[in-house]
Amino acid sequence: MKEYLNNSSSNEPDVHILLGDVTSRGGIERVSITLANALSALYKVRLVSLYASLSDISFRPVDSIAVTILHNGYEESMYNRSKSFLAGVLFDINYVFKKRKALKKSDLADENAIAICCDVKMTLLAKMAGYKKIITIEHFEYDVINPVLKKIREWLYKKISAVVTLTPEDKDKYNWMPEQKHFVIPNIVEIPRQIVPFQQRANCVLAVGRLTHQKGFDLLLQAWSRIDTADWMLRIIGDGPDKETLQSYIADNRLNNVKILPFNKHIAKEYNQAKIFVLSSRYEGWGMVLVEALAFGMACISFDCPAGPKTILQRNNGILVKAEDVNSLAKEIKKLMENKAMQKELSQKAPESIAMYSEKQILLKWQEVIEQVSK
């Protein structure tokens, strides 16, 4: 177990944010560490990671945050295993019991610690390890998880302190939860330090995310291949298992103005050099990259997938397209690329439309939850 010390002497409750791999470059890790940094201004915060596949933490926590890594190295886990349904369930059960033992040995789950978990599996682990106060953040759309986890979720979430969902779209689906335990709190969006003027940016369409089926980059490439994009470039930023398949599609269809680039910690540079942002996901928990694109004053197009985009693009600050409708996506991309006035109008409206996602506003909501749980 690897440990980084927290020097905070605050009398406020300890807040432990539990993650699978704190060094991962995924969206959950990014928003969790952003939340940890914000909460550290008010509470003693610790990041607890089941393992660490990389030597460095990509999304850097502030110095006052403690970091505990239960296994210093890569391991097959309940988050990265590739198995059949039954084999996966059996593996997860064994893994949770193994990590329960490691968490208990760490003595982190004391009476004053509040655990913030990222999903059903982590919540079950925290409960079994002895945490008495648990807040779970549901990062994904309600119906994505398998039937077994759905049953566990409905049983387990009634027994914990609070559940946070990211959008109001799923609120009705949690009607089995006590209303006073359910909170809707979006992720924090960090305000850009520098925004390049829109007219100085290249004719570039940007997409960002893990190269997986969920993110729908195959749908985006299909749309791109159906329009005349000679004067424009498409840049897809991300890593993931679908990279080879996507590269093959690009080669087979001779899409010479498409680049897939690896994950970049300095993602602000990418937002600042493009005019249009496209979210082509089949489903989302919220749509963090969409809000970030708005913060950088980009003209945004998104599939109206569950859940998040229609909550974010609701004030004429972007374009919503029927989910997974490739023809409609191609049509809207083409229309926007050809309409400079529309690009400029959406760019101007974008930053002010996401003011409610600032750190100050979201931190107030989290204070309310933590104060209720810590009583």
Side-chain angles (χ1 to χ4, degrees):
M1 182 173 72
K2 193 171 183 179
E3 183 88 8
Y4 302 88
L5 296 180
N6 184 335
N7 296 318
S8 174
S9 59
S10 171
N11 293 322
E12 296 289 348
D14 290 358
V15 175
H16 297 173
I17 298 179
L18 278 59
L19 294 167
D21 179 3
V22 73
T23 68
S24 174
R25 296 167 175 173
I28 290 177
E29 291 73 26
R30 186 179 182 186
V31 298
S32 296
I33 292 172
T34 298
L35 175 61
N37 288 342
L39 292 176
S40 69
L42 301 172
Y43 308 102
K44 294 188 292 183
V45 177
R46 178 181 297 272
L47 291 165
V48 181
S49 184
L50 304 187
Y51 59 100
S53 57
L54 301 174
S55 57
D56 295 318
I57 300 176
S58 298
F59 309 111
R60 196 66 193 170
V62 298
D63 291 341
S64 63
I65 294 176
V67 181
T68 297
I69 297 172
L70 299 181
H71 174 73
N72 190 30
Y74 173 83
E75 66 181 11
E76 187 179 25
S77 77
M78 58 188 179
Y79 294 118
N80 59 27
R81 47 87 173 163
S82 180
K83 300 180 183 296
S84 65
F85 177 75
L86 182 57
V89 170
L90 294 174
F91 177 91
D92 289 352
I93 292 170
N94 181 64
Y95 187 83
V96 167
F97 273 98
K98 181 176 76 171
K99 288 302 179 183
R100 169 182 175 267
K101 183 177 179 181
L103 260 178
K104 278 186 166 292
K105 188 177 179 180
S106 71
D107 289 327
L108 293 176
D110 60 46
E111 291 292 330
N112 296 317
I114 297 173
I116 297 180
C117 300
C118 56
D119 60 13
V120 181
K121 294 178 183 179
M122 192 67 79
T123 305
L124 182 61
L125 172 58
K127 187 74 173 174
M128 291 174 61
Y131 280 99
K132 306 299 182 186
K133 303 169 184 176
I134 301 173
I135 304 169
T136 295
I137 308 174
E138 273 290 345
H139 289 278
F140 291 106
E141 197 272 330
Y142 184 84
D143 293 315
V144 169
I145 63 176
N146 67 56
V148 172
L149 284 178
K150 284 183 179 179
K151 291 293 184 183
I152 294 173
R153 176 176 61 190
E154 193 163 339
W155 166 79
L156 180 62
Y157 284 9
K158 293 175 183 177
K159 299 179 179 296
I160 63 175
S161 307
V163 172
V164 171
T165 54
L166 303 178
T167 78
E169 293 176 50
D170 280 341
K171 189 172 180 63
D172 291 343
K173 296 179 180 179
Y174 286 87
N175 56 15
W176 44 267
M177 277 281 300
E179 188 173 351
Q180 70 274 16
K181 287 187 175 185
H182 184 203
F183 299 81
V184 177
I185 308 177
N187 291 320
I188 294 170
V189 176
E190 297 179 274
I191 305 301
R193 294 181 180 178
Q194 182 179 12
I195 300 178
V196 172
F198 192 77
Q199 63 272 18
Q200 295 180 18
R201 303 184 192 186
N203 284 348
C204 178
V205 175
L206 181 68
V208 178
R210 285 272 295 163
L211 305 181
T212 61
H213 179 76
Q214 175 204 342
K215 298 300 181 181
F217 293 123
D218 57 322
L219 304 177
L220 175 56
L221 289 176
Q222 290 174 42
W224 191 257
S225 69
R226 297 179 189 187
I227 54 180
D228 180 7
T229 59
D231 298 329
W232 285 75
M233 169 68 70
L234 171 62
R235 292 165 68 88
I236 298 173
I237 311 298
D239 302 299
D242 287 359
K243 183 175 182 178
E244 186 175 335
T245 301
L246 296 173
Q247 292 281 28
S248 294
Y249 184 92
I250 292 168
D252 292 344
N253 290 273
R254 298 180 181 179
L255 302 179
N256 298 321
N257 55 352
V258 179
K259 288 185 179 180
I260 297 179
L261 302 170
F263 168 82
N264 185 352
K265 285 195 287 187
H266 306 292
I267 194 67
K269 182 179 178 181
E270 298 293 342
Y271 287 123
N272 263 326
Q273 68 181 10
K275 291 180 178 177
I276 297 173
F277 184 87
V278 178
L279 183 77
S280 56
S281 297
R282 289 177 165 87
Y283 61 89
E284 279 289 343
W286 185 47
M288 185 67 181
V289 291
L290 180 58
V291 185
E292 287 178 342
L294 291 167
F296 278 89
M298 297 187 71
C300 294
I301 302 174
S302 175
F303 276 144
D304 187 13
C305 65
K310 69 182 176 184
T311 298
I312 297 165
L313 299 182
Q314 62 177 354
R315 296 178 177 84
N316 297 319
N317 59 339
I319 299 167
L320 280 176
V321 178
K322 182 180 177 182
E324 300 185 44
D325 187 335
V326 172
N327 285 330
S328 293
L329 182 61
K331 179 181 177 181
E332 294 300 335
I333 292 174
K334 182 176 185 293
K335 184 191 300 183
L336 188 56
M337 287 194 305
E338 294 175 347
N339 193 331
K340 293 183 179 180
M342 184 183 293
Q343 293 173 31
K344 185 177 180 181
E345 181 182 356
L346 291 177
S347 172
Q348 290 174 339
K349 290 180 178 179
E352 64 187 35
S353 73
I354 47 97
M356 73 287 288
Y357 306 130
S358 68
E359 179 176 314
K360 180 180 179 181
Q361 296 299 320
I362 302 304
L363 192 54
L364 288 172
K365 295 177 182 291
W366 270 102
Q367 274 186 276
E368 179 185 348
V369 180
I370 291 173
E371 287 175 10
Q372 176 177 305
V373 169
S374 61
K375 289 179 181 177

